[in-house]
């Protein structure tokens, strides 16, 4: 089966969040299972693209409205990621450093989708499945069906995976002229609430859509930034497949980014060494429980709750707990978290920024990982924490609910709470501190969580079964 994964991010080429981890791992695991999966991304002028060799495999020009775009498709020469990687380069539009946040971001992603479709159409390719990830590539299922340019490909099965249903990539109808000639009698499929909504269009036009956890499939009918009714109507077409983790990249036994490697049998010693190095770097005491947060500093992740929760816990547990934050995002949240350092430099520290290697050390060295998320489609952080023997302390939502069992329940290993408020978070922190004092129990839980299997092997198979259920109409 020839599968094209289309996305804005892919680790290690360009990563902003979990989308990159999934797109960088799923195709590799699919190929191990005998598929022929490739990834297509916009070209980014980043470390990865500068350090690897690419061949131009296709060149053409196309139109976005009245704007002529010259594009080339570059292929990474050695398949070093375990799959074919193609990058679409458009001078002046898709040749920049950052993944998002440009004022012409909508044009960038429309151009990317048009160039991809032109390429496979003109080069006479017939993939078995086109798998689109998130709204950046959400117009592809519609264009395949309702643009005259791509009628040859109209029967190509499409799968759309929602990694984050809060963002839709909405654009005004004045931008419809950017699309290749479409059947205007079908324009309602692009529309939601009077705007062109690529996420809604993808859900309506794809053959099947998936969410990155079963609970998130349910939650989208209650909370999806205005698309609740659509998800209610289209529920039959959806399924929830929990993300896996790349156990080759995230392996405490071999991880080149952590100071002390460790196995489940030697976790006590290994984790303590990593904790010591981490605490030394951040001026914290390695003898106290270390509770960490890693992630985007946004409301979705509940990052606004951290300063008040930490302040209360520090005053209730003077000299008995440490907190460490690694994150970047909302400027005000960054400021609040930085100011907190001045208030209590002995029990709290923060690193504002994005640092992949530091994230690995935090997963390895922390005792607990706090995730007070309001929305968490799957969440990878808790899966990395489990793999590195770090107890996840999570709000019961989305993928967190599907992957973390409270240690008070049978077979449990984590800490769960229901509400995003300071009381619930502090109560969970109290439970974490009490657990830290009960070393045999903590050791037992660590062994239990490190034995869990959240590798891609299982989830990659589920996607393949889904592809196999899609039979092209002849
Ligand atoms: P989302 O995609 O919503 O941000 P996920 O839990 O799916 O959340 O994935 C987050 C990924 O980004 C994880 O690999 C996590 O380790 C990483 N990450 C988030 N923030 C940072 C940061 N500041 N530095 C390093 N890694 C980070």
């Amino acid at each position: 089966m020839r599968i094209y994964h289309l996305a804005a991010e892919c680790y290690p080429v360009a990563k902003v969040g979990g989308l990159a981890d999934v797109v960088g791992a799923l195709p590799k695991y699919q190929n191990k299972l005998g598929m022929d999966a490739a990834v297509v991304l916009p070209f980014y002028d980043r470390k990865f693209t500068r350090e690897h060799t690419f061949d131009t495999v296709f060149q053409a020009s196309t139109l976005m409205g009245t704007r002529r775009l010259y594009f080339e498709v570059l292929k990474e020469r050695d398949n070093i990621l375990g799959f074919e990687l193609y990058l679409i380069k458009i001078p002046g539009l898709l040749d920049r450093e950052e993944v998002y946040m440009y004022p012409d971001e909508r044009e960038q992603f429309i151009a990317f989708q048009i160039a991809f479709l032109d390429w496979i159409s003109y080069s006479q390719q017939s993939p078995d499945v086109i798998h689109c990830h998130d709204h950046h590539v959400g117009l592809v299922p519609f264009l395949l069906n309702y643009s005259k340019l791509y009628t040859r490909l109209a029967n190509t099965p499409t799968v759309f995976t929602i990694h984050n249903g809060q963002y839709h990539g909405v654009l005004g109808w004045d931008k419809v002229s950017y699309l290749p000639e479409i059947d205007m009698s079908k324009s309602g499929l692009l529309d939601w609430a009077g705007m062109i909504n690529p996420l809604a269009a993808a859900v309506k036009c794809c053959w099947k859509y998936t969410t990155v956890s079963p609970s998130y499939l349910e939650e989208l009918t209650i909370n999806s930034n205005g698309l609740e009714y659509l998800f209610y109507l289209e529920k039959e077409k959806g399924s929830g497949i929990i993300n896996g983790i790349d156990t080759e990249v995230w392996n405490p036994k071999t991880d080149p980014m952590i100071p002390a490697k460790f196995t489940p049998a030697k976790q006590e010693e290994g984790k303590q060494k990593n904790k010591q190095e981490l605490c030394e770097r951040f001026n914290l005491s390695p003898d106290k429980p270390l509770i960490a947060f890693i992630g985007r500093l946004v409301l979705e992740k509940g990052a606004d709750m951290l300063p008040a929760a930490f302040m209360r816990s520090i005053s209730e547990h003077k000299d008995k707990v440490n907190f460490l934050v690694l994150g970047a995002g909302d400027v005000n949240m960054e400021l609040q978290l930085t100011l907190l350092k001045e208030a209590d430099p002995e029990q709290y520290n923060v690193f504002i920024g994005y640092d992949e290697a530091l994230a690995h050390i935090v997963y390895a060295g922390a005792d607990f990982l706090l995730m007070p998320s309001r929305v968490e489609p799957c969440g990878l952080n808790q899966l990395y924490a489990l793999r590195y023997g770090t107890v996840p302390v999570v709000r019961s939502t989305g993928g967190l609910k599907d992957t973390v069992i409270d240690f008070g329940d049978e077979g449990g290993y984590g800490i769960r709470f229901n509400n995003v408020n300071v009381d619930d978070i502090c109560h969970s922190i109290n439970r974490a501190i009490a657990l830290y004092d009960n070393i045999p129990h903590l050791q037992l839980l660590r062994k239990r969580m490190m034995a869990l299997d959240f590798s891609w092997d299982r989830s990659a198979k589920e996607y393949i079964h889904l592809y196999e259920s899609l039979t092209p109409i002849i």
Side-chain angles (χ1 to χ4, degrees):
M1 256 191 182
R2 175 65 166 172
I3 301 138
Y4 274 123
H5 288 274
L6 284 189
E9 300 178 37
C10 172
Y11 179 82
V13 188
K15 171 169 169 176
V16 177
L19 170 64
D21 290 350
V22 174
V23 178
L26 172 61
K28 180 164 88 179
Y29 284 82
Q30 288 179 330
N31 288 344
K32 285 185 188 171
L33 295 166
M35 301 284 112
D36 178 14
V39 171
V40 189
L41 286 192
F43 178 91
Y44 299 106
D45 184 11
R46 290 170 88 97
K47 191 167 181 275
F48 185 93
T49 43
R50 279 181 232 126
E51 288 179 357
H52 293 86
T53 311
F54 292 85
D55 296 312
T56 300
V57 293
F58 188 77
Q59 273 180 312
S61 77
T62 189
L63 278 174
M64 181 170 66
T66 52
R67 183 171 170 188
R68 183 152 294 281
L69 302 174
Y70 293 90
F71 71 91
E72 53 182 329
V73 181
L74 306 175
K75 179 175 181 293
E76 192 273 317
R77 189 174 287 173
D78 304 316
N79 291 351
I80 53 155
L81 301 180
F83 49 80
E84 290 177 7
L85 170 71
Y86 296 91
L87 305 180
I88 294 182
K89 187 171 187 178
I90 306 180
L93 206 55
L94 300 181
D95 57 355
R96 304 177 192 164
E97 187 174 352
E98 299 304 324
V99 180
Y100 307 118
M101 304 304 265
Y102 291 106
D104 57 352
E105 183 181 297
R106 300 287 188 261
E107 286 88 329
Q108 287 186 295
F109 288 118
I110 291 176
F112 173 61
Q113 294 171 88
I114 296 173
F116 166 73
L117 289 170
D118 277 15
W119 167 46
I120 55 166
S121 173
Y122 297 142
S123 55
Q124 296 292 316
Q125 299 183 55
S126 300
D128 296 293
V129 178
I130 297 181
H131 190 151
C132 304
H133 298 265
D134 270 352
H135 71 82
H136 319 98
V137 289
L139 297 172
V140 166
F142 174 86
L143 292 173
L144 277 173
N145 280 294
Y146 305 113
S147 170
K148 288 182 191 139
L149 292 184
Y150 310 121
T151 27
R152 189 185 68 79
L153 293 162
N155 285 332
T156 311
T158 49
V159 172
F160 182 65
T161 294
I162 301 166
H163 299 256
N164 193 329
Q166 295 298 307
Y167 305 111
H168 304 168
V170 166
L171 50 148
W173 274 102
D174 56 320
K175 299 267 190 333
V176 73
S177 60
Y178 289 174
L179 303 183
E181 195 184 344
I182 58 167
D183 176 353
M184 280 309 281
S185 72
K186 303 289 184 206
S187 62
L189 291 166
L190 291 172
D191 189 89
W192 195 261
M195 303 285 279
I196 297 177
N197 186 315
L199 189 88
V203 171
K204 291 185 217 176
C205 300
C206 68
W207 290 37
K208 291 276 178 196
Y209 73 90
T210 67
T211 57
V212 287
S213 68
S215 288
Y216 194 54
L217 184 69
E218 297 294 325
E219 287 172 16
L220 285 174
T221 63
I222 302 162
N223 176 15
S224 50
N225 210 3
L227 296 186
E228 295 77 10
Y229 187 53
L230 175 70
F231 283 111
Y232 167 75
L233 292 175
E234 297 280 2
K235 211 167 161 198
E236 287 302 299
K237 224 164 83 174
S239 53
I241 301 179
I242 199 88
N243 283 338
I245 59 173
D246 190 334
T247 46
E248 288 168 15
V249 175
W250 298 92
N251 184 354
K253 201 172 152 192
T254 54
D255 191 335
M257 298 188 214
I258 62 174
K261 326 270 175 256
F262 58 98
T263 57
K266 293 268 165 72
Q267 45 84 16
E268 200 179 339
E269 213 179 302
K271 280 193 74 65
Q272 191 57 26
K273 277 194 192 142
N274 287 305
K275 184 176 176 184
Q276 256 152 6
E277 294 234 2
L278 192 61
C279 287
E280 205 166 295
R281 176 165 168 190
F282 287 98
N283 205 21
L284 298 167
S285 156
D287 302 326
K288 299 172 197 161
L290 177 59
I291 301 180
F293 172 95
I294 300 175
R296 291 181 294 122
L297 302 177
V298 293
L299 287 174
E300 256 178 71
K301 301 284 178 196
D304 53 311
M305 290 286 139
L306 298 177
F310 291 169
M311 260 177 5
R312 192 200 286 182
S313 285
I314 286 172
S315 70
E316 277 175 17
H317 303 279
K318 204 77 203 124
D319 294 328
K320 289 224 172 71
V321 64
N322 281 324
F323 294 102
L324 179 63
V325 170
L326 163 61
D330 179 271
V331 181
N332 190 36
M333 288 184 212
E334 289 184 354
L335 181 69
Q336 297 305 320
L337 286 161
T338 306
L339 288 176
L340 193 62
K341 194 158 98 179
E342 282 162 28
D344 206 316
E346 273 163 30
Q347 286 181 257
Y348 167 82
N349 212 333
V350 60
F351 181 98
I352 299 291
Y354 188 94
D355 188 330
E356 188 75 21
L358 179 57
H360 282 243
I361 303 169
V362 177
Y363 290 120
D367 298 298
F368 300 91
L369 186 83
L370 177 62
M371 298 181 72
S373 305
R374 288 189 175 79
V375 183
E376 197 61 81
C378 174
L380 292 171
N381 301 16
Q382 82 280 14
L383 304 182
Y384 300 143
L386 291 169
R387 180 115 170 108
Y388 286 70
T390 299
V391 181
V393 181
V394 306
R395 174 171 175 245
S396 298
T397 186
L400 298 176
K401 202 155 103 184
D402 294 340
T403 54
V404 177
I405 303 174
D406 191 278
F407 76 78
D409 295 330
E410 202 188 330
Y413 39 82
I415 296 178
R416 277 172 51 161
F417 56 95
N418 287 328
N419 302 301
V420 186
N421 61 36
V422 173
D423 285 345
D424 271 31
I425 298 172
C426 287
H427 178 68
S428 297
I429 291 172
N430 293 347
R431 289 183 70 203
I433 295 170
L435 179 60
Y436 186 81
D437 286 338
N438 186 343
I439 293 166
H441 194 185
L442 181 61
Q443 296 305 346
L444 176 94
L445 298 186
R446 280 185 179 160
K447 285 212 174 90
R448 193 177 281 171
M449 66 182 87
M450 289 184 80
L452 297 170
D453 178 10
F454 283 107
S455 74
W456 267 111
D457 297 321
R458 181 180 36 85
S459 306
K461 275 186 202 138
E462 283 190 56
Y463 279 108
I464 292 171
H465 289 149
L466 181 76
Y467 300 157
E468 285 168 349
S469 73
L470 310 172
T471 323
I473 311 143
I474 301 163

